[in-house]
Amino acid sequence: PPLSFPPRPPPRLPLDLWFHLSGLASSLLDRWCQLMFLDLILLDRIRAALEDEVEREAIAAYREQMRARCDMLTGRERQVMDLVVQGKLNKQIASVLDLSHKTVEVHRSHVMEKMGAASLAALVRIAVLLEKSDARVPTAFEDAVARDAMATRRKLSLIHI
């Protein structure tokens, strides 16, 4: 029969060295997982950035279309639109602009027609969109970079053993 030796006992390491080595192994495992999934994470971020950019371009095109429609409004129609968006009633608008109630109704209907708004809520959404158009909109790349650390941590936290 072959000779068998008793198993060798594990070496006794000081506790602080054991914790150091286990932490090193854990960080190496984390780094290995990052490298293994880096391509997938990168492709996912590129896809998300492209989708965001397409959405931003569509919003910008819609905003320009609404701005062109707003430029077609007369000065009085623009005043009526601003007051309607603020929530004023036709009677209040007539009082503020020193017009008759019927004239305000006519201007309001012209505003709704020219802006292509089917309801007051739609007109308010258009006005908010036009009002916010002056704000700087970050590019999809900047958004992806800003979300980068958070997304990486979230994905890697699912991999921890």
Side-chain angles (χ1 to χ4, degrees):
L3 292 174
S4 66
F5 296 101
R8 183 176 230 180
R12 299 209 177 253
L13 295 174
L15 196 56
D16 58 342
L17 182 60
W18 173 255
F19 283 128
H20 175 73
L21 291 176
S22 64
L24 182 63
S26 175
S27 64
L28 287 174
L29 179 64
D30 288 346
R31 185 64 182 145
W32 179 80
C33 289
Q34 287 176 359
L35 292 175
M36 291 302 293
F37 294 102
L38 187 62
D39 291 343
L40 295 175
I41 293 170
L42 184 61
L43 288 174
D44 186 47
R45 287 191 196 129
I46 290 171
R47 183 193 48 75
L50 289 174
E51 288 174 359
D52 289 348
E53 194 64 31
V54 167
E55 184 178 339
R56 275 198 181 74
E57 288 174 4
I59 291 171
Y62 181 72
R63 183 180 292 143
E64 289 305 313
Q65 181 184 11
M66 290 301 114
R67 184 172 288 123
R69 288 183 182 186
C70 190
D71 290 344
M72 291 181 354
L73 297 176
T74 65
R76 184 63 79 178
E77 288 169 345
R78 180 64 192 191
Q79 288 176 328
V80 169
M81 178 181 157
D82 290 340
L83 293 171
V84 166
V85 168
Q86 291 174 14
K88 304 277 188 207
L89 301 173
N90 288 348
K91 288 181 183 180
Q92 295 170 325
I93 295 171
S95 173
V96 169
L97 298 178
D98 197 28
L99 299 171
S100 72
H101 182 266
K102 184 65 178 168
T103 305
V104 171
E105 287 178 355
V106 169
H107 285 310
R108 184 174 174 159
S109 69
H110 287 167
V111 167
M112 299 293 280
E113 183 180 327
K114 287 181 179 180
M115 294 304 293
S119 66
L120 177 60
L123 185 65
V124 170
R125 280 193 297 270
I126 291 169
V128 168
L129 179 72
L130 291 174
E131 188 176 299
K132 288 187 175 184
S133 67
D134 297 335
R136 182 183 172 276
V137 179
T139 65
F141 177 74
E142 290 169 332
D143 282 348
V145 169
R147 289 189 310 254
D148 181 39
M150 181 71 75
T152 303
R153 284 188 196 113
R154 208 176 307 126
K155 288 179 182 178
L156 292 177
S157 68
L158 299 174
I159 299 172
H160 285 282
I161 298 172

